[in-house]
């Protein structure tokens, strides 16, 4: 399926594991089908929520292949191919493109970082080498650096860079890049709690952690806002806001996997260095889910 900057809820999928730590492909199938049945507008695999930093290249490829096979063109599949090594990012991007990915999510270099020119070249080098759309991923809380506004401006003019997942939580930054938004460059919230504020400045929706728990609700919030029923979108958003924030009371995806397991969804364990939530946070999360009517 061609990726045409859809407006809506794009789920940042978890990767379910068996108790021995191996990928649980049966559970992954069930979770993907649940998303599609609930109206999710696109699937992101191998994002931060998917725990790809602890997975081997072979496991990454297996999850991508399985996701593309199960989804079978019903919604677009975006694959996280980012790396702090540009050559590795190019290699993985070409691989996932050839496997059938509809679009790619490219992260800013972490740990080694880069100056503005290096940042532009990191993304442009990858986009130059593939034939499918690419989304930038700005998440300075993870990478230790933000994509400079000037770099976003430059990259937004690249024919294969079609948008940005903005996950800094900084509305001032989002405002500074809002003028880049247009038919060929979309803005997606990377933070569930500010989806509506970002849509108010031209955003197309959200790449969502919360959608793992409530895919139908997340889809409806964005659909209502985009369809002109902002009042209903806001009412629903506020109803679930505490839970959206609760899913980040510990580092993602620890809380969302905990929430899914509480709901009877087979998310399984985490891979070290991530581990189970503290007892105090588990109690708090359960209370939020009960308040939201999920338990």
């Amino acid at each position: 399926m061609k990726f045409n900057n859809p407006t809506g809820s794009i789920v940042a999928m978890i990767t379910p594991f068996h108790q021995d730590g191996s990928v649980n492909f049966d559970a992954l199938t069930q979770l993907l089908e649940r998303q599609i049945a609930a109206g999710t507008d696109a699937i992101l695999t191998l994002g931060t929520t998917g725990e790809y930093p602890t997975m081997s290249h072979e496991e990454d490829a297996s999850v991508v292949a399985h996701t593309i096979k199960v989804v079978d063109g019903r919604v677009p599949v975006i694959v996280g191919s980012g790396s702090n090594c540009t050559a590795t990012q190019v290699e993985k991007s070409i691989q996932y493109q050839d496997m059938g990915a509809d679009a790619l999510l490219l992260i800013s270099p972490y740990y080694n970082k880069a100056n503005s020119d290096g940042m532009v070249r990191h993304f442009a080098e990858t986009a130059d080498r593939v034939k499918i759309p690419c989304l930038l991923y700005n998440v300075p809380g993870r990478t230790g650096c933000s994509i400079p506004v000037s770099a976003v401006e430059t990259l937004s003019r690249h024919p294969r860079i079609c948008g940005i997942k903005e996950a800094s939580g900084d509305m001032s930054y989002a405002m500074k890049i809002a003028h880049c938004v247009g038919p060929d460059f979309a803005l997606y919230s990377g933070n569930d709690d500010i989806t509506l504020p970002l849509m108010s400045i031209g955003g197309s929706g959200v790449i969502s952690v919360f959608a793992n728990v409530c895919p139908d609700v997340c889809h409806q919030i964005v659909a209502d806002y985009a369809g002109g029923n902002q009042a209903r979108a806001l009412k629903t958003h506020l109803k679930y806001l505490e839970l959206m924030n609760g899913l980040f009371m510990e580092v993602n995806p620890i809380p969302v996997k905990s929430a899914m397991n509480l709901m009877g969804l087979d998310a399984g364990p985490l891979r070290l260095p991530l581990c189970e939530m503290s007892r105090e946070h588990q109690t708090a999360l359960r209370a939020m889910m009960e308040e939201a009517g999920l338990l």
Side-chain angles (χ1 to χ4, degrees), residues 13-17 23-24 28 31 45-47 49-52 55 63 212 257 267-269:
M13 287 290 298
I14 67 148
T15 301
F17 298 128
V23 177
N24 186 340
L28 179 56
L31 294 175
T45 188
L46 300 188
T49 312
E51 294 181 78
Y52 81 91
M55 293 165 59
V63 168
N212 282 282
K257 275 196 155 182

Side-chain angles (χ1 to χ4, degrees), residues 3 7 13-14 31 50 62 67-68 72-73 78-79 91 100 128 135 141 151 168 179-180 204 224 237 253 260-261 270:
F3 184 85
T7 296
M13 287 290 298
I14 67 148
L31 294 175
S62 294
T67 299
I68 291 170
D72 193 27
I78 309 162
V79 180
E91 178 184 355
D128 286 344
L135 290 166
S168 70
H179 69 278
C180 298
S204 293
D224 281 345
H237 194 263
M260 294 172 75
N261 285 324
L270 300 128

Side-chain angles (χ1 to χ4, degrees), residues 147-287:
I147 305 174
V149 171
S150 61
V152 176
E153 292 170 342
T154 298
L155 292 162
S156 69
R157 296 189 288 271
H158 192 288
R160 278 180 296 282
I161 295 178
C162 67
I164 184 169
K165 176 184 178 182
E166 207 312 271
S168 70
D170 182 348
M171 282 302 299
S172 177
Y173 176 91
M175 290 292 292
K176 290 174 184 176
I177 64 170
H179 69 278
C180 298
V181 174
D184 300 319
F185 191 81
L187 170 65
Y188 295 99
S189 176
N191 300 78
D192 286 293
D193 60 336
I194 57 172
T195 298
L196 297 189
L198 258 70
M199 291 189 73
S200 76
I201 60 171
S204 293
V206 61
I207 299 179
S208 172
V209 173
F210 171 68
N212 282 282
V213 176
C214 295
D216 52 345
V217 173
C218 195
H219 167 79
Q220 196 60 51
I221 289 171
V222 177
D224 281 345
Y225 194 93
N229 197 339
Q230 286 91 351
R232 186 167 68 181
L234 178 59
K235 181 179 180 179
T236 308
H237 194 263
L238 293 176
K239 175 182 176 180
Y240 290 94
L241 182 60
E242 183 181 20
L243 177 58
M244 291 177 185
N245 288 325
L247 294 177
F248 290 87
M249 68 174 70
E250 291 191 16
V251 66
N252 179 48
I254 294 174
V256 70
K257 275 196 155 182
S258 299
M260 294 172 75
N261 285 324
L262 284 172
M263 294 172 68
L265 301 170
D266 194 2
L270 300 128
R271 284 187 175 179
L272 289 171
L274 303 185
C275 63
E276 63 276 2
M277 296 178 73
S278 70
R279 186 170 300 176
E280 176 186 0
H281 284 160
Q282 287 181 34
T283 300
L285 179 62
R286 178 182 284 276

